[in-house]
Amino acid sequence: MYFQTHGAGRPLILLHGGLGSGEMFGPALPALAEHHQVITVDLQGHGRTADIDRPIDLWFMADDIAALIDHLGLDKPDVVGYSLGGGVALRIAARYPAKVGRLVAASIFLRRDAVYPEILAQQGQVNAAAAEFMKDTPMYELYQRVAPRPEDFPRLLDKIGEAMAQDFDLTEEVRGLQVPTLIVAADADMAPPSHFVEVFNLLDGGLRDGGWMNEGRPKGGHALAILPGVTHYNIVSSPLFATATLAFLDQ
C-alpha cells in the first residue's frame, strides 16, 4: 500500500475519494501539513497501490489502514477521509476506536438511498465498459500517470461499480462512535444537507441549544460543518475544508 508523509506534528492519516489518490487534496494538503504530519494513502487499486484479488470493500480498507497505523507505530493518529475515504475513515473509528484520535468524515452517507436518485442511476453505469468514455477525465489521466498497472483501470471501474451497488446502513456504527467526530458536507453534496444533520443527530448533535458554556454540545465532542458554495466534487479543494478540519482537530 503506497503512502507519502508530509510535514511534522501530530500524525494525521488522509484518505482520498473513489477513483482518486492522495494527490486529490490539492491546496488542502499543504495547509494541513503546516500543523500535522500528514500521511496520504492510496487505497486498494487506487493511485500507486496495485489492486489485489479481493473486492473493493470499505471494511477491508479500514483493516488496511489499521495495519498501516500499527506498521508505522503511530499513537492514535487523527483520520481524515473524503467520500470513499470518509467511509473508510468512519469504519476505522467504528472497528478500531483505540487506534484513532479524532475523526473527520467528509461527504459520507449512512445509507445508499440517502444519495439523490439521479446520482445512484449514474453510479449504476460505472463498470469496465465505461473506461472508454472516461479517457478525458482527470481520474483516468491520474490513473494512467501513476498506477503500477495502468491497464487495470477497467477492472477498477468494475469493482467500484460493484461496491457502490451494495446496500448498507451505518446507523448503529455512527451512533456507537467513541471517537470525537466532525461530519463535513458541501451545501450542494450528493445527498441533501438534512441527511448530514441526521448523521449529527445520531452523534447527540443538533438536539438542543448548545449553551453559554458549551454544556449542551454533543457529549462525545462531535461537530458538524456544512461548507458553503461547494459540491461533492470540489469540497476538499476548498480552503474551507482545511480550515474546518484544523479547527476541529486542534481545538
Side-chain angles (χ1 to χ4, degrees), residues 20 42-47 49-52 56 61 143 147 152 156:
D42 288 357
L43 296 165
Q44 175 192 337
H46 287 72
T49 298
D51 197 12
I52 56 176
I56 284 186
M61 290 176 166
Y143 193 88
D152 280 357
L156 175 61

Side-chain angles (χ1 to χ4, degrees), residues 102-156:
R102 286 176 167 251
L103 168 67
V104 178
S107 296
I108 57 97
F109 314 106
L110 288 175
R111 301 174 302 276
R112 182 173 180 269
D113 64 7
V115 176
Y116 293 117
E118 61 271 25
I119 299 299
L120 292 178
Q122 291 176 19
Q123 292 177 351
Q125 299 172 16
V126 175
N127 54 45
E132 185 65 29
F133 303 101
M134 295 188 66
K135 287 190 174 178
D136 292 329
T137 65
M139 292 87 77
Y140 181 84
E141 184 278 327
L142 172 66
Y143 193 88
Q144 294 301 303
R145 179 163 51 86
V146 304
R149 294 196 299 266
E151 66 275 11
D152 280 357
F153 190 68
R155 173 178 168 170
L156 175 61

Side-chain angles (χ1 to χ4, degrees), residues 222-245:
H222 311 300
L224 170 68
I226 305 290
L227 305 187
V230 293
T231 71
H232 185 87
Y233 313 99
N234 61 14
I235 184 172
V236 295
S237 60
S238 166
L240 296 174
F241 176 77
T243 298
T245 296

Side-chain angles (χ1 to χ4, degrees), residues 22 39 43 57 64 76 98-99 125 135 146 187 211 219 225 238:
I39 300 153
L43 296 165
D57 181 293
D64 292 344
K76 299 191 75 167
K99 295 183 185 293
Q125 299 172 16
K135 287 190 174 178
V146 304
D187 61 356
K219 299 178 183 65
S238 166

